[in-house]
Amino acid sequence: MEDFAGAYLARKKDIFALPNDQNHTIAIFHLGGIAVECRLKSLLLDYHKINKFAEISNRPKDPMYNQLVINPGHGLSIALKRMSDFYKKAKSDSQLLKHLQTILYPLGSTEVDYISLRYIPQTTQSQEDWQKSFDYVCGWLEKNEKTIV
């Protein structure tokens, strides 16, 4: 079984282990997106009170109750939207959604997401703005995770 919570912590640690220079920007953006993806997947499982994807949601009063919870893949927004109470809280924080977009599309263009970055050799994109977004999203998720239990 996948350990999304453990993978989140490991990928977050990997980001900070890489030198903060232009030679590692793509790797940092890519691993950061994966870290957020893992965190959201971990929260999604907890939210629906299930142990793995393709199980039926056990969260009473949720629109997905008694329905299969499917792995959202690399869809960060999809994962968030599949936790209706959590998503309502997220929508009330416009900064969260803006920062989540930066994690999803670190180069600014919606043509290249954090997964597709693996095919980009390098970028001149600033790590500083991305890091602010990464810290904001991770902080928000950690701060608000208690509301989904």
Side-chain angles (χ1 to χ4, degrees):
M1 182 169 82
E2 292 98 348
D3 178 5
F4 294 113
Y8 162 69
L9 294 172
R11 295 305 73 79
K12 192 173 175 185
K13 187 176 177 182
D14 291 343
I15 293 165
F16 295 107
L18 288 169
N20 189 5
D21 61 34
Q22 285 304 115
N23 294 327
H24 297 91
T25 300
I26 293 293
I28 289 169
F29 291 173
H30 180 66
L31 290 172
I34 291 169
V36 171
E37 174 187 326
C38 289
R39 187 66 186 129
L40 285 169
K41 286 179 178 180
S42 173
L43 292 171
L44 184 58
L45 294 174
D46 290 346
Y47 180 87
H48 287 287
K49 303 176 186 329
I50 58 177
N51 295 314
K52 61 184 179 183
F53 289 109
E55 288 185 351
I56 293 173
S57 172
N58 293 309
R59 188 174 185 91
K61 300 180 184 176
D62 189 84
M64 289 187 69
Y65 177 71
N66 222 16
Q67 295 179 31
L68 281 181
V69 180
I70 305 299
N71 188 326
H74 305 302
L76 305 182
S77 298
I78 292 168
L80 193 56
K81 288 176 183 176
R82 288 187 182 164
M83 299 178 272
S84 63
D85 295 339
F86 204 50
Y87 183 57
K88 286 176 193 170
K89 190 172 189 106
K91 283 194 316 187
S92 69
D93 184 344
S94 62
Q95 291 299 308
L96 173 71
L97 299 178
K98 179 182 128 270
H99 288 299
L100 190 62
Q101 280 298 106
T102 299
I103 301 304
L104 187 54
Y105 301 107
L107 302 183
S109 166
T110 57
E111 295 171 15
V112 180
D113 65 10
Y114 70 97
I115 293 298
S116 300
L117 282 177
R118 66 188 186 270
Y119 302 118
I120 307 290
Q122 63 187 78
T123 184
T124 58
Q125 190 78 15
S126 166
Q127 284 185 32
E128 187 177 327
D129 292 338
W130 180 89
Q131 187 67 51
K132 287 178 188 173
S133 290
F134 181 77
D135 292 343
Y136 191 94
V137 169
C138 291
W140 191 94
L141 292 172
E142 290 169 14
K143 181 177 99 176
N144 289 285
E145 71 181 305
K146 292 169 186 69
T147 65
I148 68 167
V149 181

